[in-house]
Amino acid sequence: MTTDNWAVLEEREPDFAAAVRARFAQYPHHVLATLRKDGSPRVCGLNVDFRGGELWLGMMPGSMKARDLQRDPRFALHTNPGAGESLPDGDVRVSGRAVEIVDPPELHRYAEEADTPHPFHLFRAELTEVVHTGVEGDDLVIRSWTPARGLRAVRRGNDDEPPREEPARGGADPAGPGRAEGAPAEPPRGGSVS
């Protein structure tokens, strides 16, 4: 079974993974979005942990966010924006599926390594998309990674010009799946562009 965990991102795009991880390291608390039973979003604070090639989400026993993930594992995680409005290192969003760890020896091993009190819920993140958004000069730069497409970077200016895709730097084929090499790139659709 193949999973798209943090180790896969680090292996395929080490510089991008390091920048994302460094952004999470700036603050201990971040924002997790889950889906309630009725399908509406729930947003709450969360600490994250990078350990052993995994992105871990830990929660208090019986928490509503843990119950949400047990029912529907889809999540979005956003870095703490911090103080002020400048965001000198940009911001990061991770989307994926949370896989709960229920094996007692594995939970105990994690608790020992992370110095986490029992009981707790522990989820391993399977990544579906990782996005780093920042400002470079006059451009908004959106770098996004998916397991299927790899890393992609798009620049948007503060004008009427369409977004411009940057050539891929290592890793994935810049043409992306389904496009012939050298074919013009389309701007990203959906959640990748703010």
Side-chain angles (χ1 to χ4, degrees):
M1 181 176 131
T2 302
T3 60
D4 294 308
N5 63 2
W6 187 258
V8 169
L9 175 59
E10 286 183 317
E11 179 183 314
R12 293 182 187 169
E13 296 293 344
D15 293 340
F16 179 69
V20 167
R21 188 170 175 170
R23 183 60 184 82
F24 273 105
Q26 289 180 3
Y27 299 95
H29 300 94
H30 305 284
V31 180
L32 177 72
T34 59
L35 294 170
R36 298 172 190 254
K37 188 184 295 187
D38 67 3
S40 63
R42 181 187 316 274
V43 179
C44 43
L46 179 79
N47 291 356
V48 300
D49 187 23
F50 294 89
R51 184 180 302 275
E54 302 288 356
L55 169 57
W56 297 101
L57 312 174
M59 297 160 210
M60 292 174 34
S63 70
M64 297 306 290
K65 58 192 165 197
R67 290 180 188 174
D68 290 344
L69 292 173
Q70 289 168 335
R71 185 177 47 259
D72 185 333
R74 294 175 294 171
F75 73 90
L77 178 65
H78 195 282
T79 52
N80 183 328
E85 296 180 21
S86 64
L87 288 173
D89 297 313
D91 66 22
V92 169
R93 182 182 71 248
V94 175
S95 300
R97 299 175 63 83
V99 177
E100 187 168 19
I101 305 303
V102 295
D103 179 52
E106 193 170 350
L107 286 168
H108 181 72
R109 184 172 39 255
Y110 179 88
E112 290 293 313
E113 290 176 8
D115 195 26
T116 300
H118 286 281
F120 62 99
H121 292 285
L122 182 64
F123 296 85
R124 176 180 54 78
E126 289 186 353
L127 309 177
T128 56
E129 183 180 48
V130 180
V131 180
H132 182 279
T133 305
V135 176
E136 295 178 11
D138 291 333
D139 290 342
L140 180 69
V141 181
I142 303 107
R143 289 183 175 86
S144 64
W145 177 88
T146 68
R149 178 184 26 95
L151 185 63
R152 177 182 197 173
V154 175
R155 289 182 169 272
R156 291 178 33 171
N158 195 14
D159 53 29
D160 293 335
E161 293 297 316
R164 302 167 315 278
E165 186 165 347
E166 292 182 345
R169 294 182 293 196
D173 176 0
R179 280 208 335 256
E181 190 165 339
E186 296 179 26
R189 297 182 185 153
S192 294
V193 177
S194 301

